[in-house]
């Protein structure tokens, strides 16, 4: 598993601040930023969960894991 460099909620560096509210928000909603490259992800929410896709690092889903990695 790769080291998380950026916050998936706000997109800022994980060393900037505590991100407590961001972690809380991510328990209820999908990440909006890739935690590896800070790119804004394409997010789709559907009745059974969500998917979030980074053009460089692949797709995450609400089932808890990556769908693929490029």
């Amino acid at each position: 598993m790769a080291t998380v460099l950026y916050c998936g909620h706000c997109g800022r560096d994980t060393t900037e601040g505590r991100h407590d509210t961001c972690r809380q928000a991510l328990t209820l909603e999908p990440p909006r930023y890739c935690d590896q490259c800070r790119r804004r992800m394409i997010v789709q929410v559907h009745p059974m969960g969500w998917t979030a896709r980074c053009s460089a690092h692949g797709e995450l889903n609400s089932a808890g894991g990556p769908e693929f990695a490029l």
Side-chain angles (χ1 to χ4, degrees):
M1 178 154 217
T3 303
V4 174
L5 303 172
Y6 301 101
C7 175
H9 182 69
C10 69
R12 287 185 277 164
D13 193 308
T14 54
T15 61
E16 294 176 16
R18 293 183 42 158
H19 297 279
D20 292 334
T21 56
C22 294
R23 278 191 290 278
Q24 221 173 6
L26 287 172
T27 62
L28 300 173
E29 59 188 61
R32 302 297 175 171
Y33 294 90
C34 177
D35 63 7
Q36 297 300 302
C37 65
R38 199 180 195 175
R39 281 184 174 90
R40 187 98 164 126
M41 295 199 291
I42 299 168
V43 177
Q44 184 173 19
V45 178
H46 47 84
M48 300 303 289
W50 55 261
T51 58
R53 183 169 43 95
C54 171
S55 61
H57 295 101
E59 188 171 293
L60 298 172
N61 62 55
S62 56
E67 288 292 309
F68 61 89
L70 299 176

mmCIF file of all heavy atoms in Angstrom, residues 8 33 35 54:
data_model
loop_
_atom_site.group_PDB
_atom_site.id
_atom_site.type_symbol
_atom_site.label_atom_id
_atom_site.label_comp_id
_atom_site.label_asym_id
_atom_site.label_seq_id
_atom_site.Cartn_x
_atom_site.Cartn_y
_atom_site.Cartn_z
ATOM 1 N N GLY A 8 -7.605 13.200 0.735
ATOM 2 C CA GLY A 8 -8.613 12.868 -0.259
ATOM 3 C C GLY A 8 -9.822 13.777 -0.235
ATOM 4 O O GLY A 8 -10.578 13.849 -1.193
ATOM 5 N N TYR A 33 -10.052 14.030 -4.139
ATOM 6 C CA TYR A 33 -8.689 14.209 -4.641
ATOM 7 C C TYR A 33 -7.918 12.911 -4.489
ATOM 8 O O TYR A 33 -8.087 12.188 -3.512
ATOM 9 C CB TYR A 33 -7.953 15.302 -3.852
ATOM 10 C CG TYR A 33 -8.533 16.671 -4.055
ATOM 11 C CD1 TYR A 33 -9.548 17.146 -3.228
ATOM 12 C CD2 TYR A 33 -8.080 17.483 -5.082
ATOM 13 C CE1 TYR A 33 -10.093 18.402 -3.415
ATOM 14 C CE2 TYR A 33 -8.621 18.745 -5.282
ATOM 15 C CZ TYR A 33 -9.621 19.199 -4.446
ATOM 16 O OH TYR A 33 -10.164 20.439 -4.645
ATOM 17 N N ASP A 35 -5.012 10.670 -3.386
ATOM 18 C CA ASP A 35 -4.091 10.807 -2.255
ATOM 19 C C ASP A 35 -2.631 10.615 -2.654
ATOM 20 O O ASP A 35 -1.737 10.789 -1.842
ATOM 21 C CB ASP A 35 -4.476 9.866 -1.118
ATOM 22 C CG ASP A 35 -4.386 8.399 -1.482
ATOM 23 O OD1 ASP A 35 -3.890 8.064 -2.579
ATOM 24 O OD2 ASP A 35 -4.825 7.573 -0.661
ATOM 25 N N CYS A 54 -8.925 8.287 -10.628
ATOM 26 C CA CYS A 54 -7.796 9.175 -10.922
ATOM 27 C C CYS A 54 -7.247 8.751 -12.276
ATOM 28 O O CYS A 54 -7.059 7.548 -12.520
ATOM 29 C CB CYS A 54 -6.708 9.034 -9.848
ATOM 30 S SG CYS A 54 -5.177 9.905 -10.258
#
